[in-house]
Amino acid sequence: MNLLIIQLKKNELILTTFRRRRGELSFIEASRHPLGAEDSLSQILQSVTAEKSEERRVILSIPADHLFMREMELPIADRRKVRELLPLELKGETAVDTDQLVFDALLLDEGKVLAVWARQQWLEETIALLKTSGLEPEIITGSLFHWQSLIPAEAETGTVALTDGESLVIYRDRQPLFFRPLTGGERETARTLAAVEIAKNITVERIFSHGGHSRRETAESLTGSSISPLAVAGPFAETFAGDADAARDLAGTYAVARAVVAGDNINLRSGSLAYTAGAAKARRKLRLTAILAATVVVLLLAEAGLRWYLVKKDLDSLNNSITKIYREVFPTRKKAVDEVAELKSEIKRLSGGKASSNTLKVLKSLADAKGDDISGVFETEIDGDQVRLRGDAKSVQAVNDLKLKAASVLTGAEVGETKSKPDGSVTFVLRGTLKEGNI
């Protein structure tokens, strides 16, 4: 996802694009445009829209002279709650009614709060201009509120000041202490520093410049300190691939991008000016997702319904077949509750008890008639009243003896398919008909 930072200054427009990847920033490109005629801003924005059309988040950084600030003491550390209280706290103390202003807040050192506001009408006009150009900002902020990410590592402790020629910010141990827009150049910077040092009983140890102000060659003494170009190191330098001049020149937009990534930026686009295009876009995506999900559910239900219909059709066909067979077997019976159960019961009744009992009786009689000379009977077949035995005997005489002994069970017994083996034994087949008492 790319971040397009639109930084409006007094006399120029700076457009900087960063790429955000896994919480880290990398510089893509930047352009600087002087602002002269009233229509030049819209022309510049339209040209930017024509050149670039990729998906990106647009953040607007407005000039310091369009921002109003006041230090306040509020026993609340929640920025959201402070922002809600500011219209009531400042009612009657601002040049215009608070209903025509948009507020945010920044927590300062020493437990104080910096109230920040801007005119709603001017913000609405600026948003409309950017929206017409296809660059509606998601966030509206001021660059000077996020310069703490620019403080060099060697100046993290102590009191330091940063300036871009249009604003002055003082930090103590990286905590914001003082903010002020500048209109009178270096002399106003010196006067402001002197007044802050006296009022807050502090000493500003170092002063760093960035942006266009860092390109000026100045060694003017300011309360015992001189303005030094901002040092570029660490993540600040890595974002710009080590190009210190580009990093220093675009430090304001970098600070805004870092604050947006961290999620602790000042945002004057709230209340009636709240950004809704992103929510509308998200709703459209969710609507499409919901439609696709509903389609999938409908298809799954349709498939389940089709499967149920086919299974039901097969079951009905099977039931009809069972009913047809039942009527053919029992034409005189009325419709049964369970045709399959009745058919199984009838089959068991017809072929179960007596048949199995007589079969065991026949087998027992034949086993008694077998004698010791019959090596074994390895196949017995009873089909109705016909019996067929296949086995081994020691001799043909043993087979004839079995035939005579089986006469008590069989009638018309005869021996066939007698085959001799090398050891003198024979294989035989005995057939006969069961006597009526054994059927």
Side-chain angles (χ1 to χ4, degrees), residues 244-276:
D245 292 333
R248 200 175 289 116
D249 197 38
L250 301 171
T253 57
Y254 166 79
V256 172
R258 278 286 300 271
V260 170
V261 170
D264 58 357
N265 56 280
I266 291 288
N267 186 11
L268 293 172
R269 184 138 201 207
S270 59
S272 60
L273 295 181
Y275 180 72
T276 58

Side-chain angles (χ1 to χ4, degrees), residues 29-305:
E29 62 180 357
S31 59
R32 186 185 298 272
H33 308 272
L35 293 177
E38 294 181 358
D39 59 345
S40 62
L41 178 58
S42 60
Q43 292 175 355
I44 294 170
L45 295 175
Q46 288 175 1
S47 65
V48 172
T49 305
E51 293 175 359
K52 302 293 180 182
S53 58
E54 74 275 4
E55 185 176 357
R56 56 195 170 185
R57 295 180 67 188
V58 180
I59 295 92
L60 173 63
S61 175
I62 61 178
D65 57 1
H66 282 276
L67 292 166
F68 304 91
M69 293 163 274
R70 178 179 297 181
E71 288 188 16
M72 303 179 64
E73 292 187 4
L74 291 174
I76 301 176
D78 189 328
R79 278 183 56 194
R80 182 181 60 83
K81 294 181 179 179
V82 171
R83 183 171 56 196
E84 294 174 354
L85 287 174
L86 287 178
L88 298 175
E89 290 289 332
L90 295 173
K91 194 169 185 66
E93 298 185 21
T94 56
V96 296
D97 191 79
T98 55
D99 293 338
Q100 302 176 29
L101 303 175
V102 181
F103 293 89
D104 204 340
L106 182 67
L107 302 180
L108 298 178
D109 196 9
E110 300 177 346
K112 294 184 178 180
V113 173
L114 180 70
V116 181
W117 68 90
R119 295 180 184 272
Q120 181 170 330
Q121 182 178 355
W122 182 83
L123 292 177
E124 289 176 345
E125 294 172 354
T126 306
I127 292 172
L129 178 61
L130 292 170
K131 188 174 182 179
T132 302
S133 303
L135 295 171
E136 182 180 2
E138 179 178 337
I139 297 171
I140 298 179
T141 187
S143 172
L144 71 161
F145 302 119
H146 312 297
W147 288 353
Q148 68 270 15
S149 61
L150 304 178
I151 300 174
E154 66 272 14
E156 289 186 347
T157 59
T159 305
V160 298
L162 281 77
T163 180
D164 64 351
E166 296 184 7
S167 305
L168 176 70
V169 183
I170 299 175
Y171 293 91
R172 181 166 58 190
D173 298 335
R174 289 188 64 88
Q175 295 300 316
L177 187 65
F178 178 81
F179 294 82
R180 182 175 179 179
L182 300 175
T183 57
E186 302 295 342
R187 292 182 179 179
E188 184 179 0
T189 304
R191 291 195 299 268
T192 301
L193 285 171
V196 173
E197 287 181 336
I198 294 172
K200 294 184 178 291
N201 192 25
I202 61 173
T203 299
V204 177
E205 300 167 6
R206 300 188 65 179
I207 307 170
F208 298 99
S209 63
H210 62 87
H213 192 63
S214 64
R215 297 193 297 270
R216 300 177 186 176
E217 296 181 0
T218 178
E220 180 181 353
S221 177
L222 299 173
T223 64
S225 302
S226 61
I227 299 180
S228 304
L230 182 65
V232 178
F236 187 20
E238 293 173 2
T239 299
F240 291 90
D243 189 341
D245 292 333
R248 200 175 289 116
D249 197 38
L250 301 171
T253 57
Y254 166 79
V256 172
R258 278 286 300 271
V260 170
V261 170
D264 58 357
N265 56 280
I266 291 288
N267 186 11
L268 293 172
R269 184 138 201 207
S270 59
S272 60
L273 295 181
Y275 180 72
T276 58
K281 186 176 181 180
R283 282 196 297 271
R284 287 195 297 271
K285 290 183 178 179
L286 289 175
R287 188 181 300 117
L288 177 59
T289 303
I291 292 173
L292 293 176
T295 302
V296 171
V297 171
V298 170
L299 291 176
L300 290 175
L301 291 175
E303 182 185 9

